[in-house]
């Protein structure tokens, strides 16, 4: 690092050494976030988020997942990992962000469990928000966001009978 030949993995080693030395969590977070400057793509940032979770820096990890989702809005991973983390930490705002992100995507048949988990989490969160006097408006806002998330721009249904076949070019 001192010779200006930094690589992202070097920051992980630096953090391990700092952790062994008993350094403060804020120092660890600052050191690992320095690796973000060397991230060459969103996958590197996702790796950084996972590493932050391993260090117990969950708030920062969720921020990293949100940033990745902004740069790669079609990726499902930031939302899935973000939902898991937000549920573990009880972060209502994080759960809202992740569930809306997941439900706004179309999922293939073999990934319907991801959508289902998001639906369960959203419903559970809505129930909690509706029970609180101070959070009823937040529940209404969340419900509107969920309603918008499940809207689709185009729905095409093609039906035919017999031995006919259809060629479709979009």
């Amino acid at each position: 690092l001192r010779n200006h030949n930094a690589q992202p993995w070097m920051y992980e080693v630096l953090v391990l050494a700092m952790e062994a030395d008993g350094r403060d969590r804020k120092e660890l977070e600052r050191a690992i976030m320095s690796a973000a400057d060397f991230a060459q793509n969103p996958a590197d940032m996702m790796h950084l988020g996972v590493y932050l979770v391993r260090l117990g820096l969950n708030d920062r990890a969720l921020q990293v997942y949100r940033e990745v989702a902004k740069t790669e809005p079609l990726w499902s991973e930031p939302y899935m990992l973000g939902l898991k983390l937000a549920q573990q930490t009880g972060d209502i705002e994080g759960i809202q962000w992740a569930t809306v992100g997941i439900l706004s995507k179309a999922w293939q048949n073999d990934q319907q469990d991801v959508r289902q988990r998001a639906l369960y989490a959203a419903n559970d969160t809505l129930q909690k928000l509706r029970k609180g006097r101070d959070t009823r408006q937040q529940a209404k806002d969340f419900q509107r966001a969920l309603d918008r998330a499940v809207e689709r721009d185009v729905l095409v249904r093609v039906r035919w009978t017999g031995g006919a076949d259809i060629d479709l070019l979009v």
Side-chain angles (χ1 to χ4, degrees), residues 96-119:
Q96 291 175 330
W97 165 78
T99 55
V100 168
I102 289 171
L103 294 174
S104 67
K105 311 276 180 270
W107 294 86
Q108 296 177 13
N109 289 339
D110 62 339
Q111 294 178 315
Q112 286 301 310
D113 61 315
V114 174
R115 183 178 186 279
Q116 203 60 41
R117 274 184 272 157
L119 279 173

Side-chain angles (χ1 to χ4, degrees), residues 41-128:
N41 55 52
D44 289 346
M45 290 299 290
M46 286 297 297
H47 175 74
L48 183 63
V50 170
Y51 190 72
L52 286 164
V53 170
R54 282 200 329 248
L55 291 173
L57 299 168
N58 299 327
D59 292 339
R60 180 62 80 163
L62 198 52
Q63 288 176 349
V64 168
Y65 294 150
R66 285 179 182 226
E67 288 301 315
V68 171
K70 284 180 188 174
T71 59
E72 292 294 335
L74 299 179
W75 278 15
S76 59
E77 289 83 2
Y79 297 109
M80 292 186 315
L81 292 174
L83 177 59
K84 181 179 176 183
L85 180 58
Q87 286 179 307
Q88 288 172 350
T89 60
D91 183 342
I92 297 293
E93 189 178 308
I95 292 171
Q96 291 175 330
W97 165 78
T99 55
V100 168
I102 289 171
L103 294 174
S104 67
K105 311 276 180 270
W107 294 86
Q108 296 177 13
N109 289 339
D110 62 339
Q111 294 178 315
Q112 286 301 310
D113 61 315
V114 174
R115 183 178 186 279
Q116 203 60 41
R117 274 184 272 157
L119 279 173
Y120 291 144
N123 286 330
D124 184 50
T125 302
L126 275 172
Q127 287 178 2
K128 288 177 185 174

